Amino acid sequence: MFSWTCDLLRVYPATPTIVAGYGHQPIHTQLITEKSTKTRDLDPQESKGPKAVISIKDLNATFQPQKIDHPNGLQITFQTADKTRNLFVYHESSEEIVAWYNAIRAVRYAYLKTAYPTGRDEELVPKITRNFLKEGYMEKTGPLQKEPFKRRWFSLDSQNRKLLYFKNQLDAEELGVIFIGTESNSYSVETFVPKHARRNKWKFGIRVETPERPFILMCEQEREQREWVDALKKVLSRPMSPQDIAGERRL
C-alpha cells in the first residue's frame, strides 16, 4: 500500500528478506522521504526507532536474481561516510519486490527534481537508478605488484566512475574503490601481463593506471579481459562532470 502527501512517501509492503552471507534475516522496512531525504530501515524487534537511516542522495537499486540466487532478488546500494554498502533483499512475491523498486525510483526522482530544479527529465531519469556496467571476479595484487594475487568481486559503477571491489559478491561493504577518470587526467586502461607476480592463477591481465598508482587485475578468460577493458574504456572516454571531479577529490 502506498500513501502520498506533498513531501512524504510511506511504503508498507510485506516483509522482504535480507540476504547476508549464508544467512537470511527477515526485517520490516519503512521507506520515507521527507525534507531530510532519508530512508529508514526498521527492525520490528526494536520499536524505539530506525535500525538504520539511508540517504536518498546516493541510493541505488538494481535487480540481481543471479547474484542473489532468487528470481525476485534486489540489490540496494548506498553510501555511508566513507564506504559503499550493499543490502541484498528478495521477496517471494514478484509484485512486492517490484513495488519496492518502484518506490525507490519514486523517491530518487523526487530528490533529483529538488537537487536539480532546472534539470530536464531526459537528463534526470537515467540518474534515478542504474545497473552496474560490468561485474565479476578478478584477481588483484597490491601496489608493489609483488604481493600475492587475491580473488575479489568487482562492480563497475559507470555513472559514478567507480570500480568497486569486495571480497565476495554478497559482501555488505566494499574493500576498496578505484576511480576511473579520463586519459587527459592521467588515467588509462590496457591489457597487461605482469613479469613479477606471486600466486596468480589467472593469466589475462589488465593494468588500470591512475595518478596515484597502477592497479593490476587478472581475468580467468580472455573474453572477460576484453569485456572489462571495453567497459573501462567506455567510462574513460566520457568527459568528467563537476560532480565527477568532486567525487574524485573525496576518494
Side-chain angles (χ1 to χ4, degrees), residues 16-19 68 72-76 87-91 97:
T17 299
I18 298 296
V19 181
I68 299 174
N72 302 326
L74 187 70
Q75 179 177 347
I76 299 172
L87 290 175
F88 298 95
V89 305
Y90 67 82
H91 198 288
I97 205 67

Side-chain angles (χ1 to χ4, degrees), residues 21-83:
Y22 297 104
H24 297 169
Q25 178 187 5
I27 66 168
H28 176 70
T29 303
Q30 181 182 49
L31 187 61
I32 301 175
T33 176
E34 300 176 351
K35 292 180 180 179
S36 58
T37 62
K38 303 284 185 178
T39 63
R40 298 186 181 184
D41 192 2
L42 302 184
D43 188 331
Q45 305 300 322
E46 301 176 8
S47 58
K48 295 181 179 180
K51 185 175 180 181
V53 178
I54 302 171
S55 172
I56 295 295
K57 179 177 181 292
D58 299 302
L59 184 65
N60 186 51
T62 179
F63 288 107
Q64 292 279 21
Q66 292 183 336
K67 182 189 288 189
I68 299 174
D69 195 24
H70 192 282
N72 302 326
L74 187 70
Q75 179 177 347
I76 299 172
T77 304
F78 59 98
Q79 196 74 27
T80 61
D82 59 352
K83 293 284 186 178

Side-chain angles (χ1 to χ4, degrees), residues 107-166:
V107 295
R108 276 283 300 162
Y109 179 71
Y111 163 77
L112 290 169
K113 291 294 285 185
T114 302
Y116 306 98
T118 61
R120 300 188 303 272
D121 276 359
E122 55 264 32
E123 298 171 332
L124 299 181
V125 168
K127 298 179 182 294
I128 295 176
T129 54
R130 61 200 179 276
N131 297 325
F132 293 109
L133 184 58
K134 182 163 177 62
E135 290 191 290
Y137 281 107
M138 290 189 286
E139 290 185 328
K140 175 185 174 298
T141 187
L144 299 179
Q145 302 179 29
K146 296 181 180 180
E147 299 89 339
F149 276 85
K150 296 180 180 180
R151 193 178 78 150
R152 297 290 183 248
W153 177 264
F154 286 82
S155 299
L156 179 56
D157 181 352
S158 60
Q159 181 170 298
N160 290 329
R161 311 187 76 104
K162 291 181 179 179
L163 180 59
L164 306 159
Y165 57 93
F166 306 81

Side-chain angles (χ1 to χ4, degrees), residues 229-248:
V229 169
D230 289 345
L232 290 165
K233 285 189 173 181
K234 186 175 181 180
V235 179
L236 275 171
S237 65
R238 195 180 76 238
M240 289 176 61
S241 68
Q243 291 82 4
D244 293 333
I245 295 172
E248 179 185 26

Side-chain angles (χ1 to χ4, degrees), residues 158-205:
S158 60
Q159 181 170 298
N160 290 329
R161 311 187 76 104
K162 291 181 179 179
L163 180 59
L164 306 159
Y165 57 93
F166 306 81
K167 186 174 182 180
N168 296 298
Q169 63 179 347
L170 293 181
D171 279 2
E173 187 174 281
E174 68 177 59
L175 289 177
V177 58
I178 305 170
F179 186 84
I180 307 298
T182 60
E183 291 185 351
S184 61
N185 291 322
S186 302
Y187 291 85
S188 64
V189 176
E190 62 181 358
T191 57
F192 182 78
V193 178
K195 296 180 180 180
H196 305 288
R198 297 172 55 198
R199 293 167 51 186
N200 61 308
K201 299 178 181 178
W202 297 346
K203 305 302 180 185
F204 301 97

